[in-house]
Coordinates of all heavy atoms in Angstrom, one line a residue:
M1297 N -21.4 -21.6 71.7 CA -21.6 -21.9 70.3 C -20.4 -22.6 69.7 O -19.3 -22.3 70.0 CB -21.9 -20.7 69.5 CG -22.1 -20.9 68.1 SD -22.8 -19.6 67.0 CE -22.0 -18.2 67.5
S1298 N -20.7 -23.6 68.9 CA -19.6 -24.3 68.2 C -19.6 -24.0 66.7 O -20.5 -23.3 66.2 CB -19.7 -25.8 68.5 OG -20.9 -26.2 67.7
A1299 N -18.6 -24.5 66.1 CA -18.5 -24.3 64.6 C -19.6 -24.8 63.8 O -19.9 -24.4 62.7 CB -17.2 -24.9 64.1
D1300 N -20.3 -25.8 64.4 CA -21.5 -26.4 63.6 C -22.8 -25.8 64.1 O -23.8 -26.4 63.8 CB -21.5 -27.9 63.8 CG -21.6 -28.4 65.3 OD1 -21.5 -27.5 66.2 OD2 -21.9 -29.6 65.5
G1301 N -22.8 -24.6 64.8 CA -24.1 -24.0 65.1 C -24.5 -24.4 66.5 O -23.7 -25.0 67.3
F1302 N -25.8 -24.1 66.8 CA -26.3 -24.5 68.2 C -27.8 -24.6 68.1 O -28.5 -24.2 67.1 CB -25.9 -23.5 69.2 CG -26.3 -22.1 68.9 CD1 -27.5 -21.6 69.5 CD2 -25.6 -21.2 68.0 CE1 -27.9 -20.3 69.3 CE2 -26.0 -19.9 67.8 CZ -27.2 -19.5 68.4
T1303 N -28.4 -25.1 69.1 CA -29.8 -25.3 69.3 C -30.3 -24.7 70.6 O -29.6 -24.9 71.6 CB -30.2 -26.8 69.3 OG1 -29.7 -27.4 68.1 CG2 -31.7 -27.1 69.4
L1304 N -31.4 -24.0 70.5 CA -32.1 -23.4 71.6 C -33.5 -23.9 71.7 O -34.1 -24.2 70.7 CB -32.1 -21.9 71.6 CG -30.7 -21.1 71.6 CD1 -30.9 -19.7 71.4 CD2 -30.0 -21.4 72.9
K1305 N -33.9 -24.0 73.0 CA -35.4 -24.4 73.2 C -36.1 -23.2 73.9 O -35.6 -22.5 74.7 CB -35.4 -25.6 74.1 CG -34.9 -26.8 73.4 CD -35.1 -28.0 74.3 CE -34.5 -29.3 73.6 NZ -34.7 -30.5 74.4
D1306 N -37.3 -23.0 73.4 CA -38.2 -22.0 74.0 C -38.9 -22.5 75.2 O -38.7 -23.7 75.6 CB -39.1 -21.4 73.0 CG -40.2 -22.3 72.5 OD1 -40.4 -23.4 73.1 OD2 -40.9 -22.0 71.5
A1307 N -39.7 -21.7 75.8 CA -40.5 -22.1 77.1 C -41.3 -23.3 76.9 O -41.6 -24.1 77.8 CB -41.3 -20.9 77.6
T1308 N -41.8 -23.5 75.6 CA -42.7 -24.7 75.4 C -41.9 -25.9 75.1 O -42.5 -27.0 75.0 CB -43.6 -24.4 74.2 OG1 -42.8 -24.3 73.0 CG2 -44.4 -23.1 74.4
G1309 N -40.6 -25.8 75.0 CA -39.7 -27.0 74.7 C -39.4 -27.2 73.2 O -38.7 -28.1 72.8
K1310 N -40.0 -26.3 72.4 CA -39.7 -26.4 70.9 C -38.3 -26.0 70.7 O -37.8 -25.0 71.2 CB -40.7 -25.5 70.1 CG -40.5 -25.6 68.7 CD -41.5 -24.8 67.9 CE -41.3 -24.9 66.4 NZ -42.2 -24.1 65.6
A1311 N -37.5 -26.8 69.9 CA -36.2 -26.6 69.6 C -36.0 -25.8 68.3 O -36.7 -26.0 67.3 CB -35.4 -27.9 69.5
Y1312 N -35.1 -24.8 68.3 CA -34.8 -24.0 67.2 C -33.3 -24.2 66.9 O -32.4 -24.1 67.7 CB -35.1 -22.6 67.4 CG -36.5 -22.2 67.6 CD1 -37.1 -22.2 68.9 CD2 -37.3 -22.0 66.5 CE1 -38.4 -22.0 69.1 CE2 -38.7 -21.7 66.7 CZ -39.2 -21.7 67.9 OH -40.5 -21.4 68.1
R1313 N -33.0 -24.6 65.7 CA -31.6 -24.9 65.2 C -31.1 -23.6 64.6 O -31.7 -23.1 63.6 CB -31.6 -26.0 64.3 CG -30.3 -26.4 63.8 CD -29.4 -27.2 64.7 NE -28.1 -27.5 64.1 CZ -27.0 -27.4 64.7 NH1 -27.0 -27.1 66.0 NH2 -25.9 -27.6 64.2
F1314 N -29.9 -23.2 65.0 CA -29.2 -22.0 64.4 C -27.9 -22.5 63.8 O -27.1 -23.1 64.5 CB -28.9 -20.9 65.5 CG -30.2 -20.3 66.0 CD1 -30.9 -20.9 67.1 CD2 -30.7 -19.2 65.4 CE1 -32.0 -20.3 67.6 CE2 -31.9 -18.6 65.8 CZ -32.5 -19.2 66.9
E1315 N -27.8 -22.4 62.5 CA -26.6 -22.7 61.8 C -25.5 -21.6 62.0 O -25.9 -20.5 62.1 CB -26.9 -22.9 60.3 CG -27.9 -24.0 60.0 CD -27.5 -25.4 60.5 OE1 -26.2 -25.7 60.5 OE2 -28.3 -26.1 61.0
P1316 N -24.3 -22.0 61.9 CA -23.3 -20.9 62.0 C -23.3 -20.0 60.8 O -23.7 -20.3 59.7 CB -22.0 -21.7 62.0 CG -22.2 -23.0 61.3 CD -23.7 -23.3 61.6
A1317 N -22.9 -18.8 61.0 CA -22.8 -17.8 60.0 C -21.7 -18.1 59.0 O -20.7 -18.7 59.4 CB -22.5 -16.4 60.6
P1318 N -21.9 -17.9 57.7 CA -21.0 -18.2 56.7 C -19.8 -17.2 56.8 O -20.0 -16.1 57.2 CB -21.7 -18.2 55.4 CG -22.8 -17.2 55.6 CD -23.2 -17.4 57.1
F1319 N -18.6 -17.7 56.4 CA -17.4 -16.8 56.3 C -17.5 -16.1 55.0 O -16.8 -16.5 54.1 CB -16.2 -17.6 56.5 CG -15.8 -18.0 57.9 CD1 -16.4 -19.1 58.4 CD2 -15.1 -17.1 58.7 CE1 -16.1 -19.5 59.7 CE2 -14.8 -17.6 59.9 CZ -15.3 -18.7 60.5
D1320 N -18.4 -15.1 54.9 CA -18.6 -14.5 53.6 C -18.3 -12.9 53.6 O -18.6 -12.2 52.7 CB -20.1 -14.6 53.1 CG -21.1 -14.0 54.1 OD1 -20.7 -13.6 55.2 OD2 -22.2 -14.0 53.7
I1321 N -17.6 -12.5 54.6 CA -17.2 -11.1 54.7 C -15.7 -11.0 54.4 O -14.9 -11.5 55.3 CB -17.6 -10.5 56.0 CG1 -19.1 -10.5 56.2 CG2 -17.0 -9.1 56.1 CD1 -19.6 -10.1 57.6
E1322 N -15.3 -10.5 53.3 CA -13.8 -10.4 53.1 C -13.3 -9.1 53.6 O -13.9 -8.0 53.4 CB -13.6 -10.4 51.5 CG -12.1 -10.3 51.2 CD -11.8 -10.6 49.8 OE1 -12.7 -10.5 48.9 OE2 -10.6 -10.9 49.5
V1323 N -12.3 -9.2 54.4 CA -11.7 -8.0 55.1 C -10.2 -7.9 54.6 O -9.5 -8.9 54.4 CB -11.7 -8.2 56.5 CG1 -11.1 -7.0 57.3 CG2 -13.1 -8.5 57.1
V1324 N -9.9 -6.6 54.3 CA -8.6 -6.4 53.8 C -8.0 -5.3 54.7 O -8.5 -4.2 54.9 CB -8.5 -5.8 52.3 CG1 -7.1 -5.5 51.9 CG2 -9.2 -6.8 51.4
D1325 N -6.9 -5.6 55.4 CA -6.2 -4.7 56.3 C -4.9 -4.3 55.6 O -4.1 -5.1 55.2 CB -5.9 -5.4 57.6 CG -7.1 -5.8 58.5 OD1 -8.2 -5.2 58.2 OD2 -7.1 -6.7 59.4
V1326 N -4.7 -3.0 55.5 CA -3.5 -2.5 54.9 C -2.7 -1.8 56.0 O -3.2 -0.8 56.6 CB -3.8 -1.5 53.8 CG1 -2.5 -1.0 53.2 CG2 -4.6 -2.3 52.7
W1327 N -1.5 -2.2 56.3 CA -0.7 -1.7 57.4 C 0.4 -0.8 56.7 O 1.1 -1.2 55.8 CB 0.0 -2.8 58.1 CG -0.9 -3.6 58.9 CD1 -1.7 -4.7 58.5 CD2 -1.2 -3.6 60.3 NE1 -2.4 -5.3 59.4 CE2 -2.2 -4.5 60.6 CE3 -0.7 -2.7 61.3 CZ2 -2.6 -4.8 61.9 CZ3 -1.2 -2.9 62.6 CH2 -2.1 -3.9 62.9
P1328 N 0.5 0.5 57.2 CA 1.5 1.3 56.6 C 2.9 0.7 56.9 O 3.1 -0.1 57.8 CB 1.3 2.6 57.5 CG -0.1 2.6 57.9 CD -0.4 1.2 58.1
P1329 N 3.9 1.2 56.2 CA 5.3 0.6 56.4 C 5.7 0.6 57.9 O 5.6 1.6 58.6 CB 6.1 1.5 55.5 CG 5.2 2.1 54.5 CD 3.9 2.3 55.2
G1330 N 6.2 -0.6 58.3 CA 6.8 -0.7 59.6 C 5.8 -0.7 60.8 O 6.2 -0.7 62.0
T1331 N 4.5 -0.9 60.5 CA 3.5 -0.8 61.6 C 2.9 -2.2 62.0 O 2.3 -2.3 63.0 CB 2.4 0.1 61.3 OG1 1.7 -0.3 60.1 CG2 2.8 1.5 61.1
L1332 N 3.1 -3.2 61.1 CA 2.6 -4.6 61.5 C 3.5 -5.2 62.5 O 4.6 -5.8 62.1 CB 2.4 -5.4 60.2 CG 1.9 -6.8 60.4 CD1 0.5 -6.8 61.1 CD2 1.8 -7.6 59.1
S1333 N 3.2 -5.1 63.8 CA 4.0 -5.7 64.8 C 3.9 -7.2 64.9 O 3.0 -7.8 64.4 CB 3.6 -5.0 66.2 OG 2.3 -5.4 66.5
E1334 N 4.9 -7.8 65.7 CA 4.8 -9.2 66.0 C 3.5 -9.5 66.8 O 2.9 -10.5 66.6 CB 6.0 -9.6 66.7 CG 6.1 -11.1 66.8 CD 7.5 -11.6 67.5 OE1 8.5 -10.9 67.3 OE2 7.4 -12.5 68.2
A1335 N 3.1 -8.6 67.7 CA 1.9 -8.8 68.5 C 0.7 -8.9 67.6 O -0.2 -9.7 67.7 CB 1.7 -7.8 69.5
A1336 N 0.6 -8.0 66.6 CA -0.5 -8.0 65.6 C -0.5 -9.3 64.8 O -1.6 -9.9 64.6 CB -0.4 -6.8 64.8
Q1337 N 0.7 -9.7 64.3 CA 0.8 -10.9 63.6 C 0.3 -12.1 64.4 O -0.4 -13.0 63.9 CB 2.2 -11.1 63.1 CG 2.7 -10.1 62.0 CD 4.1 -10.3 61.7 OE1 4.6 -11.4 61.5 NE2 4.8 -9.1 61.7
D1338 N 0.7 -12.1 65.7 CA 0.3 -13.2 66.6 C -1.2 -13.2 66.7 O -1.8 -14.3 66.9 CB 0.9 -13.1 67.9 CG 2.4 -13.4 67.9 OD1 2.9 -14.0 66.9 OD2 3.1 -13.0 68.9
A1339 N -1.9 -12.0 66.8 CA -3.3 -11.9 66.9 C -4.0 -12.5 65.7 O -5.0 -13.2 65.9 CB -3.7 -10.4 67.1
Y1340 N -3.5 -12.2 64.5 CA -4.0 -12.8 63.3 C -3.9 -14.4 63.4 O -4.8 -15.1 63.1 CB -3.3 -12.4 62.1 CG -3.7 -11.0 61.6 CD1 -2.7 -10.0 61.6 CD2 -4.9 -10.8 61.0 CE1 -3.1 -8.7 61.1 CE2 -5.3 -9.5 60.6 CZ -4.3 -8.5 60.6 OH -4.7 -7.2 60.2
D1341 N -2.8 -14.8 63.9 CA -2.5 -16.3 63.9 C -3.4 -16.9 65.0 O -4.0 -18.0 64.8 CB -1.1 -16.6 64.4 CG -0.1 -16.3 63.2 OD1 -0.5 -16.1 62.1 OD2 1.1 -16.1 63.5
A1342 N -3.7 -16.2 66.1 CA -4.5 -16.7 67.2 C -6.0 -16.8 66.7 O -6.6 -17.8 66.9 CB -4.4 -15.9 68.4
L1343 N -6.4 -15.8 66.0 CA -7.9 -15.9 65.5 C -8.0 -16.8 64.4 O -9.0 -17.5 64.4 CB -8.3 -14.4 65.1 CG -9.1 -13.7 66.1 CD1 -8.3 -13.4 67.4 CD2 -9.7 -12.4 65.6
S1344 N -7.0 -17.0 63.6 CA -7.1 -18.1 62.6 C -7.1 -19.5 63.2 O -7.9 -20.3 62.8 CB -5.9 -17.9 61.7 OG -5.9 -19.0 60.6
A1345 N -6.2 -19.7 64.2 CA -6.2 -21.0 64.9 C -7.5 -21.3 65.6 O -7.9 -22.4 65.8 CB -5.0 -21.1 65.9
A1346 N -8.2 -20.2 66.1 CA -9.4 -20.4 66.9 C -10.6 -20.5 65.9 O -11.7 -20.7 66.4 CB -9.6 -19.2 67.8
G1347 N -10.4 -20.4 64.6 CA -11.5 -20.5 63.7 C -12.3 -19.3 63.5 O -13.4 -19.3 63.0
R1348 N -11.8 -18.1 64.0 CA -12.6 -16.9 63.9 C -12.4 -16.2 62.5 O -13.3 -15.4 62.1 CB -12.1 -15.9 65.0 CG -12.3 -16.4 66.4 CD -13.9 -16.6 66.7 NE -14.5 -15.4 66.5 CZ -15.6 -15.2 65.8 NH1 -16.2 -16.2 65.2 NH2 -16.2 -14.0 65.7
I1349 N -11.2 -16.4 61.9 CA -11.0 -15.9 60.5 C -10.4 -17.0 59.7 O -9.7 -17.9 60.2 CB -10.0 -14.6 60.6 CG1 -8.7 -15.0 61.1 CG2 -10.7 -13.5 61.3 CD1 -7.7 -13.8 61.0
I1350 N -10.5 -16.8 58.4 CA -9.9 -17.7 57.4 C -9.0 -16.9 56.5 O -9.5 -16.0 55.7 CB -11.0 -18.4 56.6 CG1 -11.9 -19.2 57.5 CG2 -10.3 -19.2 55.5 CD1 -13.0 -19.9 56.7
P1351 N -7.7 -17.1 56.6 CA -6.8 -16.3 55.8 C -7.0 -16.5 54.3 O -7.4 -17.5 53.8 CB -5.4 -16.8 56.1 CG -5.5 -17.4 57.5 CD -7.0 -17.9 57.5
R1352 N -6.8 -15.5 53.5 CA -7.0 -15.6 52.0 C -5.7 -15.2 51.3 O -5.4 -14.1 51.2 CB -8.1 -14.6 51.5 CG -9.4 -14.7 52.1 CD -10.3 -15.4 51.3 NE -10.3 -14.8 49.9 CZ -11.1 -15.3 49.0 NH1 -11.9 -16.2 49.2 NH2 -11.0 -14.7 47.8
G1353 N -4.9 -16.2 51.1 CA -3.7 -16.0 50.4 C -2.6 -15.6 51.3 O -2.8 -15.6 52.6
L1354 N -1.6 -15.1 50.8 CA -0.4 -14.8 51.6 C -0.4 -13.3 52.0 O -1.2 -12.5 51.3 CB 0.9 -14.9 50.7 CG 1.2 -16.4 50.3 CD1 2.4 -16.4 49.3 CD2 1.5 -17.2 51.5
V1355 N 0.3 -13.0 53.0 CA 0.4 -11.6 53.4 C 1.4 -11.0 52.4 O 2.4 -11.5 52.1 CB 1.0 -11.4 54.9 CG1 1.3 -10.0 55.2 CG2 0.0 -12.1 55.8
V1356 N 1.0 -9.8 51.8 CA 1.8 -9.2 50.8 C 2.3 -7.9 51.2 O 1.7 -7.0 51.8 CB 0.9 -8.9 49.5 CG1 1.6 -8.3 48.4 CG2 0.2 -10.3 49.1
R1357 N 3.6 -7.7 50.9 CA 4.4 -6.5 51.2 C 4.7 -5.8 49.9 O 5.3 -6.5 49.0 CB 5.6 -6.7 52.0 CG 6.4 -5.4 52.4 CD 7.6 -5.7 53.2 NE 7.5 -6.6 54.3 CZ 7.0 -6.2 55.5 NH1 6.8 -4.9 55.7 NH2 6.9 -7.1 56.5
D1358 N 4.2 -4.6 49.6 CA 4.5 -3.9 48.3 C 5.7 -3.2 48.3 O 6.4 -3.1 49.3 CB 3.3 -3.0 47.9 CG 3.0 -1.8 48.7 OD1 3.9 -1.5 49.6 OD2 2.0 -1.2 48.6
A1359 N 6.1 -2.6 47.2 CA 7.4 -1.8 47.0 C 7.5 -0.7 48.0 O 8.6 -0.3 48.4 CB 7.5 -1.4 45.6
A1360 N 6.4 -0.1 48.4 CA 6.4 1.0 49.3 C 6.5 0.6 50.8 O 6.7 1.4 51.7 CB 5.1 1.9 49.1
G1361 N 6.4 -0.7 51.0 CA 6.5 -1.3 52.4 C 5.2 -1.5 53.1 O 5.2 -1.9 54.2
R1362 N 4.1 -1.2 52.4 CA 2.8 -1.5 53.0 C 2.6 -3.0 53.0 O 3.0 -3.7 52.1 CB 1.7 -0.8 52.2 CG 1.7 0.7 52.3 CD 0.5 1.2 51.4 NE 0.7 0.9 50.1 CZ 0.9 1.7 49.0 NH1 0.9 3.0 49.3 NH2 1.1 1.3 47.8
V1363 N 1.9 -3.4 54.1 CA 1.6 -4.9 54.2 C 0.1 -5.0 54.1 O -0.7 -4.4 54.8 CB 2.1 -5.4 55.5 CG1 1.7 -6.9 55.7 CG2 3.6 -5.2 55.6
T1364 N -0.4 -5.9 53.2 CA -1.8 -6.2 53.0 C -2.1 -7.6 53.6 O -1.4 -8.6 53.2 CB -2.2 -6.1 51.5 OG1 -1.8 -4.9 51.1 CG2 -3.6 -6.3 51.3
V1365 N -3.1 -7.7 54.5 CA -3.6 -8.9 55.0 C -5.0 -9.1 54.6 O -5.8 -8.2 54.9 CB -3.4 -8.9 56.6 CG1 -3.9 -10.2 57.2 CG2 -2.0 -8.6 57.0
R1366 N -5.3 -10.2 54.0 CA -6.7 -10.5 53.5 C -7.2 -11.7 54.3 O -6.4 -12.7 54.4 CB -6.8 -10.8 52.0 CG -6.3 -9.7 51.2 CD -6.3 -10.0 49.7 NE -5.8 -9.0 48.9 CZ -6.6 -8.0 48.4 NH1 -7.9 -8.0 48.6 NH2 -6.1 -7.1 47.7
Y1367 N -8.5 -11.7 54.7 CA -9.0 -12.9 55.4 C -10.6 -12.7 55.3 O -11.1 -11.7 55.0 CB -8.6 -12.9 56.9 CG -8.8 -11.6 57.7 CD1 -10.0 -11.5 58.4 CD2 -7.9 -10.6 57.6 CE1 -10.2 -10.3 59.1 CE2 -8.0 -9.4 58.3 CZ -9.2 -9.3 59.1 OH -9.4 -8.1 59.8
M1368 N -11.2 -13.9 55.5 CA -12.6 -14.0 55.5 C -13.1 -14.0 57.0 O -12.5 -14.6 57.8 CB -13.1 -15.2 54.8 CG -12.7 -15.3 53.3 SD -13.3 -13.9 52.3 CE -15.1 -14.3 52.3
A1369 N -14.2 -13.4 57.3 CA -14.8 -13.3 58.6 C -16.3 -13.7 58.5 O -16.9 -13.6 57.4 CB -14.6 -12.1 59.3
D1370 N -16.9 -14.0 59.7 CA -18.3 -14.3 59.7 C -19.0 -13.2 60.4 O -20.3 -13.4 60.7 CB -18.6 -15.7 60.4 CG -18.1 -15.8 61.8 OD1 -17.4 -14.9 62.3 OD2 -18.4 -16.7 62.5
I1371 N -18.4 -12.1 60.8 CA -19.0 -10.9 61.4 C -18.5 -9.7 60.8 O -17.5 -9.8 60.0 CB -18.7 -11.0 63.0 CG1 -17.2 -10.9 63.2 CG2 -19.4 -12.1 63.6 CD1 -16.9 -10.8 64.7
P1372 N -19.2 -8.6 60.9 CA -18.7 -7.3 60.3 C -17.3 -7.0 60.6 O -16.7 -7.3 61.6 CB -19.6 -6.3 60.8 CG -20.9 -7.1 61.1 CD -20.4 -8.4 61.7
E1373 N -16.7 -6.4 59.6 CA -15.2 -6.1 59.7 C -14.8 -5.3 61.0 O -13.8 -5.5 61.6 CB -14.6 -5.4 58.5 CG -15.1 -4.1 58.2 CD -14.6 -3.5 56.9 OE1 -15.0 -4.0 55.9 OE2 -13.6 -2.6 57.0
Q1374 N -15.7 -4.4 61.4 CA -15.4 -3.6 62.6 C -15.4 -4.5 63.8 O -14.5 -4.3 64.8 CB -16.5 -2.5 62.8 CG -16.5 -1.4 61.8 CD -17.4 -1.8 60.6 OE1 -17.9 -3.0 60.5 NE2 -17.6 -0.9 59.7
W1375 N -16.2 -5.6 63.9 CA -16.3 -6.4 65.0 C -15.1 -7.3 65.0 O -14.5 -7.6 66.1 CB -17.5 -7.3 65.0 CG -18.8 -6.5 65.0 CD1 -19.0 -5.1 65.1 CD2 -20.1 -7.0 65.1 NE1 -20.3 -4.8 65.2 CE2 -21.0 -6.0 65.1 CE3 -20.6 -8.3 64.9 CZ2 -22.4 -6.1 65.1 CZ3 -22.0 -8.5 64.9 CH2 -22.9 -7.4 65.1
I1376 N -14.6 -7.9 63.9 CA -13.5 -8.8 63.9 C -12.3 -8.0 64.1 O -11.3 -8.6 64.8 CB -13.4 -9.6 62.5 CG1 -12.6 -10.8 62.8 CG2 -13.0 -8.8 61.4 CD1 -13.1 -11.9 63.7
R1377 N -12.2 -6.8 63.7 CA -11.0 -6.0 64.0 C -10.9 -5.7 65.5 O -9.8 -5.6 66.1 CB -11.0 -4.7 63.2 CG -10.6 -4.9 61.8 CD -10.5 -3.6 61.0 NE -10.1 -3.9 59.6 CZ -10.7 -3.2 58.6 NH1 -11.5 -2.3 58.7 NH2 -10.2 -3.6 57.4
Q1378 N -12.1 -5.6 66.1 CA -12.1 -5.4 67.6 C -11.5 -6.7 68.3 O -10.8 -6.6 69.3 CB -13.5 -5.0 68.1 CG -13.5 -4.9 69.7 CD -12.6 -3.7 70.2 OE1 -12.5 -2.7 69.5 NE2 -12.0 -3.9 71.3
E1379 N -11.9 -7.9 67.8 CA -11.5 -9.1 68.3 C -9.9 -9.2 68.1 O -9.2 -9.6 69.0 CB -12.1 -10.3 67.7 CG -13.5 -10.5 68.2 CD -14.1 -11.9 67.7 OE1 -13.4 -12.8 67.5 OE2 -15.3 -11.9 67.5
L1380 N -9.4 -8.7 66.9 CA -8.0 -8.7 66.7 C -7.3 -7.8 67.7 O -6.3 -8.2 68.2 CB -7.7 -8.2 65.3 CG -8.0 -9.3 64.2 CD1 -8.0 -8.6 62.8 CD2 -6.9 -10.4 64.2
R1381 N -7.8 -6.6 68.0 CA -7.3 -5.8 69.0 C -7.2 -6.4 70.4 O -6.2 -6.3 71.0 CB -8.1 -4.4 69.1 CG -7.9 -3.4 68.0 CD -8.4 -2.1 68.2 NE -9.6 -1.6 67.8 CZ -10.2 -1.7 66.7 NH1 -9.7 -2.5 65.7 NH2 -11.4 -1.2 66.4
E1382 N -8.3 -7.0 70.8 CA -8.3 -7.7 72.0 C -7.3 -8.8 72.1 O -6.6 -9.0 73.1 CB -9.7 -8.2 72.3 CG -10.7 -7.1 72.6 CD -12.2 -7.5 72.6 OE1 -12.4 -8.8 72.6 OE2 -13.0 -6.7 72.7
A1383 N -7.2 -9.6 71.0 CA -6.2 -10.7 70.9 C -4.8 -10.2 71.0 O -3.9 -10.7 71.6 CB -6.4 -11.5 69.7
K1384 N -4.6 -9.0 70.4 CA -3.3 -8.4 70.4 C -2.9 -7.9 71.8 O -1.8 -8.2 72.3 CB -3.3 -7.2 69.4 CG -1.9 -6.4 69.4 CD -2.0 -5.3 68.4 CE -0.9 -4.4 68.5 NZ -1.0 -3.2 67.7
L1385 N -3.9 -7.3 72.5 CA -3.6 -6.9 73.9 C -3.4 -8.1 74.9 O -2.5 -8.1 75.6 CB -4.8 -6.1 74.4 CG -4.9 -4.8 73.8 CD1 -6.2 -4.1 74.3 CD2 -3.7 -3.9 74.1
V1386 N -4.1 -9.2 74.6 CA -3.9 -10.4 75.4 C -2.5 -10.9 75.2 O -1.7 -11.3 76.1 CB -4.9 -11.5 75.1 CG1 -4.5 -12.9 75.7 CG2 -6.3 -11.1 75.6
G1387 N -2.0 -10.9 73.9 CA -0.7 -11.4 73.6 C 0.4 -10.5 74.2 O 1.4 -11.0 74.6
L1388 N 0.1 -9.2 74.2 CA 1.1 -8.3 74.8 C 1.2 -8.6 76.3 O 2.3 -8.5 76.9 CB 0.7 -6.8 74.5 CG 0.9 -6.4 73.1 CD1 0.3 -5.0 72.9 CD2 2.4 -6.4 72.7
K1389 N 0.1 -8.7 76.9 CA 0.0 -9.0 78.4 C 0.7 -10.3 78.8 O 1.2 -10.5 79.8 CB -1.4 -8.9 78.9 CG -1.9 -7.5 78.9 CD -3.4 -7.5 79.3 CE -4.0 -6.2 79.1 NZ -5.4 -6.1 79.4
C1390 N 0.6 -11.2 77.8 CA 1.1 -12.6 78.0 C 2.4 -12.9 77.4 O 2.8 -14.0 77.1 CB 0.0 -13.6 77.4 SG 0.2 -15.2 77.9
S1391 N 3.2 -11.8 77.2 CA 4.5 -12.1 76.5 C 5.4 -13.0 77.3 O 6.2 -13.8 76.6 CB 5.2 -10.7 76.3 OG 5.4 -10.0 77.4
P1392 N 5.4 -13.1 78.6 CA 6.2 -14.1 79.3 C 5.8 -15.5 79.0 O 6.6 -16.4 79.0 CB 6.0 -13.8 80.8 CG 5.5 -12.4 80.8 CD 4.8 -12.1 79.5
C1393 N 4.5 -15.7 78.6 CA 4.1 -17.1 78.4 C 4.2 -17.4 76.8 O 3.6 -18.3 76.3 CB 2.7 -17.3 78.8 SG 1.4 -16.3 78.1
Q1394 N 4.9 -16.5 76.1 CA 5.3 -16.8 74.7 C 4.1 -16.8 73.8 O 4.0 -17.6 72.9 CB 6.2 -18.0 74.6 CG 7.4 -17.9 75.3 CD 8.1 -19.2 75.6 OE1 7.7 -20.2 75.1 NE2 9.2 -19.1 76.2
G1395 N 3.1 -15.8 74.1 CA 2.0 -15.7 73.1 C 0.9 -16.8 73.3 O 0.0 -16.8 72.5
Q1396 N 1.0 -17.6 74.3 CA -0.1 -18.7 74.5 C -1.2 -18.0 75.2 O -1.1 -17.3 76.1 CB 0.5 -19.8 75.4 CG 1.6 -20.6 74.7 CD 2.2 -21.6 75.6 OE1 1.8 -21.8 76.7 NE2 3.1 -22.4 75.1
F1397 N -2.4 -18.3 74.7 CA -3.7 -17.7 75.3 C -4.2 -18.5 76.3 O -4.2 -19.7 76.2 CB -4.6 -17.4 74.1 CG -4.2 -16.3 73.2 CD1 -3.3 -16.6 72.1 CD2 -4.5 -15.0 73.4 CE1 -2.9 -15.6 71.3 CE2 -4.1 -14.0 72.6 CZ -3.3 -14.3 71.5

């Protein structure tokens, strides 16, 4: 699937066009003080570069040290967080290649 959707044909040859899902799910991740690791930040960057999430504003650190990350997704927040976890693990396993996926 590409960013502009995709087309499938049924057994009769009739084509069905599927448009991409809109980025209409706002996700807010709040990290307790000192827990947003470089690997997690790299995962956000990787998914953003891949077009999986769209950042919403700046990452904000409050007076208590909590970090808030806001972004838009085209799938439910539990699913995109799973993709972030997987991207984080790939980044950790790939530390010798300097975070390149």
Side-chain angles (χ1 to χ4, degrees):
M1297 177 168 40
S1298 67
D1300 62 347
F1302 61 96
T1303 302
L1304 293 177
K1305 292 184 180 180
D1306 66 11
T1308 66
K1310 182 176 179 181
Y1312 294 92
R1313 175 84 182 138
F1314 293 89
E1315 299 300 323
F1319 283 86
D1320 61 352
I1321 300 170
E1322 184 170 15
V1323 183
V1324 178
D1325 295 338
V1326 179
W1327 293 82
T1331 60
L1332 180 60
S1333 66
E1334 189 174 327
Q1337 293 174 47
D1338 290 344
Y1340 283 113
D1341 291 342
L1343 264 60
S1344 177
R1348 298 296 301 130
I1349 62 174
I1350 298 173
R1352 300 263 309 182
L1354 299 173
V1355 174
V1356 177
R1357 184 179 310 273
D1358 68 11
R1362 291 178 298 240
V1363 177
T1364 303
V1365 181
R1366 295 177 186 273
Y1367 54 94
M1368 300 300 289
D1370 61 350
I1371 58 176
E1373 66 183 74
Q1374 296 86 351
W1375 298 1
I1376 200 66
R1377 286 186 178 138
Q1378 181 61 36
E1379 285 190 32
L1380 283 162
R1381 282 194 266 316
E1382 291 169 7
K1384 180 180 169 184
L1385 289 175
V1386 168
L1388 289 173
K1389 292 177 185 172
C1390 191
S1391 57
C1393 64
Q1394 301 162 0
Q1396 296 175 356
F1397 290 86

